[in-house]
Amino acid sequence: MDQKILSIGNAEVPALGLGTYRLTGREGEKTIEQALALGYRHIDTAEMYGNEDVVGNAIINCGINRADIFITTKVWPSNFSKKKFIPSVESSLKRLRVDNVDLLLLHWPADDDTNRLATELLSECLHLQYAKHVGVSNFSLSQLQKAQAQAPIFCNQVEYSPYNNNNILLQYMRGQNMLLTAYSPLARGTVLHEAIIKKLAGKYQKTASQIVLRWLLQQDNVAAIPKAGSEKHSLENLQVFDFELSEEDMLAVFQLAKK
Ligand code: NAP
């Protein structure tokens, strides 16, 4: 199936990725391998998830060229120090069994001084070629703007489902041609029960999950990384590139943020 690819700077990012939080052990490895076999080419992990080794195994086992998969990992704030940051990234790369990741993020903001240091260390990771691109996660607009003074910030990964209003942040990021990666895009499954989502699922002959993901992926500069724990859900979430929500229906879903 043809997927949407986002062109951000010199990077090509598959707009739909697989979130891997809680995908661990042999079961998690199998789920990630199946998703790659189905066509996923964007995988989101983090040092904190304790599954970089599982992601690394799945990538090796699936036999797909490493260069064809967009891999994101994240550094946890307890490693935001001169002594710990670079060794923690080196450990992540070792567990993932790759020479570099496509995107390296600061997982959560700390205080301003610590963020400044961590962002400088992100830049160092670019020079060391440990990451092709760097960014942040859970940063407010003002924290993001400060980070941009220290490093070429490519992405801010934030919670974004129909329940969140990220309008101001997203407008700014679009103006800078940055990637907004939507985490918990299905609001951990809760938004799938909303009446308007169910109504649109009936109208477009799609599932509730497909309506929500399509709503996100129809927005410029937005990628989404739903977590799916089964092959059935992985496949369903991938099948969102063969239909389009009307402008009116896009607006109807935006109304959920006002609830
Ligand atoms: P999510 O993707 O919004 O929701 C996951 C839930 O939705 C799971 O219970 C899953 O069930 C269910 N689901 C998935 N596909 C479905 C389908 N087609 N039909 C029905 N239910 C479906 O929430 P999330 O796991 O919190 O977020 C996704 C990813 O974002 C994480 O895995 C992680 O990579 C990232 N994340 C990042 C941060 C951060 O601070 N940067 C924070 C949170 C999450 P099954 O498991 O049964 O498929």
Side-chain angles (χ1 to χ4, degrees):
M1 174 170 308
D2 282 345
Q3 282 204 48
K4 179 175 176 183
I5 305 290
L6 297 166
S7 289
I8 308 278
N10 63 357
E12 305 253 283
V13 188
L16 184 78
L18 180 73
T20 67
Y21 184 43
R22 294 207 171 94
L23 292 179
T24 54
R26 184 57 203 127
E27 198 58 29
E29 197 176 303
K30 197 176 105 199
T31 306
I32 299 165
E33 252 180 79
Q34 284 169 338
L36 287 162
L38 288 171
Y40 282 79
R41 292 293 181 271
H42 174 173
I43 305 285
D44 180 80
T45 182
E47 172 191 15
M48 192 278 264
Y49 301 169
N51 68 355
E52 289 171 314
D53 54 340
V54 165
V55 171
N57 288 342
I59 289 172
I60 299 267
N61 293 343
C62 74
I64 296 162
N65 199 336
R66 155 70 188 100
D68 293 335
I69 304 172
F70 190 93
I71 306 174
T72 300
T73 196
K74 319 183 190 83
V75 184
W76 193 245
S78 59
N79 287 320
F80 291 180
S81 68
K82 266 202 166 133
K83 201 169 153 206
K84 291 186 180 170
F85 195 97
I86 301 287
S88 93
V89 175
E90 287 168 344
S91 298
S92 288
L93 295 178
K94 208 167 164 189
R95 284 189 292 266
L96 283 163
R97 299 207 257 160
V98 293
D99 297 329
N100 54 43
V101 285
D102 297 273
L103 181 57
L104 180 70
L105 304 178
L106 303 181
H107 202 146
W108 279 90
D111 61 75
D112 278 358
D113 287 345
T114 312
N115 287 344
R116 192 175 312 116
L117 171 72
T119 314
E120 282 167 10
L121 291 164
L122 275 181
S123 271
E124 200 172 323
C125 287
L126 282 176
H127 292 129
L128 291 167
Q129 299 188 354
Y130 287 168
K132 292 183 193 159
H133 307 279
V134 295
V136 295
S137 180
N138 298 297
F139 273 44
S140 67
L141 179 55
S142 80
Q143 288 168 328
L144 175 66
Q145 287 169 327
K146 285 176 192 155
Q148 285 183 290
Q150 260 78 47
I153 301 295
F154 177 87
C155 166
N156 189 12
Q157 182 180 125
V158 295
E159 183 164 359
Y160 191 21
S161 79
Y163 289 143
N164 309 108
N165 181 345
N166 280 322
N167 192 29
I168 293 173
L169 181 66
L170 186 50
Q171 288 298 337
Y172 173 78
M173 289 177 62
R174 276 195 194 120
Q176 306 275 313
N177 197 23
M178 287 167 67
L179 174 71
L180 186 150
T181 303
Y183 81 66
S184 302
L186 305 174
R188 301 173 185 89
T190 55
V191 74
L192 306 180
H193 306 290
E194 289 288 346
I196 179 65
I197 302 296
K198 286 188 186 168
K199 186 176 156 205
L200 294 177
K203 175 175 170 183
Y204 288 89
Q205 292 292 292
K206 285 283 177 182
T207 67
S209 162
Q210 289 168 335
I211 296 295
V212 173
L213 293 173
R214 180 70 213 182
W215 173 80
L216 283 162
L217 299 178
Q218 240 172 260
Q219 300 178 44
D220 290 343
N221 291 59
V222 175
I225 48 166
K227 176 256 176 184
S230 63
E231 194 173 15
K232 179 178 175 285
H233 282 171
S234 290
L235 178 62
E236 189 177 313
N237 296 346
L238 199 57
Q239 292 174 328
V240 292
F241 300 104
D242 57 354
F243 76 111
E244 197 170 333
L245 295 173
S246 71
E247 211 165 298
E248 190 189 355
D249 292 336
M250 287 292 288
L251 288 174
V253 179
F254 272 111
Q255 294 303 314
L256 284 174
K258 302 206 168 108
K259 273 180 115 180

